[in-house]
Amino acid sequence: MLPFKLVYSDAYYLPIGEHVFPAEKYRRIRDRLLATGIAEVGDFLEPEPATDLDILLVHKPEYVHKLKTGTLGPREEMEMEIPYSRDLVEAFWLAAGGSIAAAREALADGISVNIGGGFHHAFPDHGEGFCMIHDVAVAIRRLQRDDKIRTAMTVDCDVHQGNGTAVIFAGTQTASEPLPSAGASTRSSSPPSSALRGRMRGVHARDVFTISLHQHNNYPMWKPPSSIDVDLPDGVEDHDYLAWLDNALSSGLRQFEPDLICYLAGADPYKEDQLGGLSLTVEGLKQRDELVFRVARARNIPVMVTFAGGYAQNVEDTVAIHCNTVVAAKEVFVAEK
Ligand SMILES: [Zn+2]
């Protein structure tokens, strides 16, 4: 039995037909976790869908109305890049409910993983890039409304920038700390070499601090400012990626003390991803997860995980990368409990 919960439902499946987004990945992750003995049936928690009131904590009433009545315009549907249906709306409401549940469970156990979610390209008034509803933002706003947390930090390691997150939690002030900063490092590895043309830039948030590590030359074209954006050049490999992540986490946690970390563990920085241009290995991605979990655990900050994107040539690779996130959580949180 794991000392934390995995939030999952068969109804996470996105009814989008033949699509680059492997909608069946959630069920395959669950099956693999059970088949390999990483998790047991009792580790899984079935979520309730978010309520409309929850969704409205983040999204505009006009947009929610269009989704519920099937009245999106053709352009709005095109921008979402997934075909609208009532069933799809239900799947997104459920994903948001799953992230709310995972956030609550994280506060109780130190960590919880939603085997879904991470739809970081959803904006208050429209959907984009396979994302209709921003489940992570809904979870943060719901827990704030319930007085369970005051502040949160998003750590977005999907290969694509978290544009919806950045807009929803837009900051107002320029960072007082020079970036990139070496400073106290949680890893012993050297800081990213200056030969790397990546760069870190930042603005302060108010109650939610947003960190995004992403490939610069990739969707979205317009990258609204996160609290910290790490714009990575094409082809970054494990060692440099981990050094950038370590620096971003150290810098963020020097500036901000969150009550909850929301980690978006995208599988698409993988070297064989069809929609990504970074060069991380399966092992490097697991080290990435371990780094986030160790930092959170060392500071006693609960961490809620969502899975976001993953478009490997071979879907089994995407499934393995996501399962490794649970393994990493197990290693960090069981060993030291
Ligand atoms: Zn992505």
Side-chain angles (χ1 to χ4, degrees):
M1 199 79 181
L2 293 171
F4 55 86
K5 287 289 175 217
L6 306 172
V7 181
Y8 171 81
S9 168
D10 286 340
Y12 277 175
Y13 177 81
L14 300 177
I16 52 179
E18 277 292 307
H19 198 284
V20 68
F21 189 100
E24 77 286 8
K25 76 175 181 179
Y26 306 122
R27 186 188 46 74
R28 288 172 71 160
I29 293 164
R30 178 184 186 274
D31 290 350
R32 187 181 166 116
L33 288 170
L34 290 172
T36 52
I38 297 164
E40 302 171 18
V41 172
D43 294 322
F44 291 87
L45 183 77
E46 175 93 21
E48 295 283 322
T51 65
D52 291 354
L53 281 177
D54 295 333
I55 301 295
L56 287 164
L57 293 170
V58 170
H59 294 280
K60 300 273 188 215
E62 302 76 35
Y63 177 52
V64 174
H65 180 75
K66 283 181 194 172
L67 293 175
K68 293 192 68 98
T69 54
T71 50
L72 288 176
R75 207 197 133 162
E76 289 172 300
E77 201 178 329
M78 204 180 69
E79 214 174 6
M80 207 157 65
E81 296 187 82
I82 38 177
Y84 174 89
S85 67
R86 278 294 314 171
D87 288 347
L88 189 63
V89 171
E90 282 178 21
F92 274 96
W93 257 243
L94 187 60
S99 287
I100 293 170
R104 281 196 193 118
E105 295 297 323
L107 295 184
D109 294 333
I111 186 166
S112 179
V113 182
N114 186 10
I115 310 290
F119 297 109
H120 58 162
H121 303 310
F123 287 72
D125 62 351
H126 72 278
E128 267 187 43
F130 320 152
C131 301
M132 179 186 284
I133 290 294
H134 200 309
D135 55 290
V136 175
V138 169
I140 291 170
R141 289 306 189 214
R142 173 63 195 265
L143 264 67
Q144 286 178 325
R145 202 199 67 186
D146 293 347
D147 284 327
K148 304 266 193 231
I149 59 169
R150 281 184 314 107
T151 59
M153 174 180 280
T154 61
V155 177
D156 189 340
C157 289
D158 190 275
V159 80
H160 304 101
Q161 196 241 7
N163 54 351
T165 321
V167 163
I168 290 165
F169 301 118
T172 47
Q173 279 177 283
T174 304
S176 53
E177 179 167 359
L179 298 169
S181 55
S185 185
T186 47
R187 279 168 48 88
S188 54
S189 66
S190 56
S193 68
S194 55
L196 254 185
R197 290 182 319 283
R199 87 200 145 95
M200 223 198 282
R201 53 197 162 85
V203 289
H204 273 302
R206 284 158 292 192
D207 57 349
V208 180
F209 194 99
T210 55
I211 297 177
S212 179
L213 260 86
H214 48 264
Q215 183 190 7
H216 181 66
N217 288 324
N218 204 327
Y219 167 87
M221 286 295 286
W222 175 57
K223 296 177 176 62
S226 311
S227 307
I228 293 177
D229 281 294
V230 182
D231 298 318
L232 297 167
D234 299 353
V236 163
E237 297 180 359
D238 294 344
H239 176 269
D240 284 332
Y241 184 96
L242 293 169
W244 278 108
L245 173 60
D246 188 28
N247 263 22
L249 287 170
S250 302
S251 177
L253 290 167
R254 272 200 300 278
Q255 298 174 58
F256 193 83
E257 285 180 29
D259 296 329
L260 174 71
I261 287 176
C262 298
Y263 173 43
L264 288 83
D268 48 12
Y270 178 48
K271 61 184 174 152
E272 282 171 41
D273 196 88
Q274 301 174 84
L275 301 184
L278 299 184
S279 299
L280 274 73
T281 63
V282 172
E283 184 52 34
L285 286 159
K286 179 160 178 268
Q287 288 171 16
R288 170 198 72 168
D289 299 335
E290 287 168 1
L291 174 57
V292 174
F293 297 152
R294 285 219 184 84
V295 167
R297 179 121 174 88
R299 292 170 188 256
N300 259 322
I301 305 167
V303 51
M304 178 270 256
V305 185
T306 55
F307 277 163
Y311 315 93
Q313 300 280 358
N314 180 353
V315 179
E316 269 312 302
D317 287 349
T318 298
V319 171
I321 291 163
H322 285 315
C323 287
N324 276 347
T325 303
V326 178
V327 175
K330 191 172 177 176
E331 285 170 3
V332 172
F333 283 82
V334 172
E336 295 149 53
K337 202 138 184 160

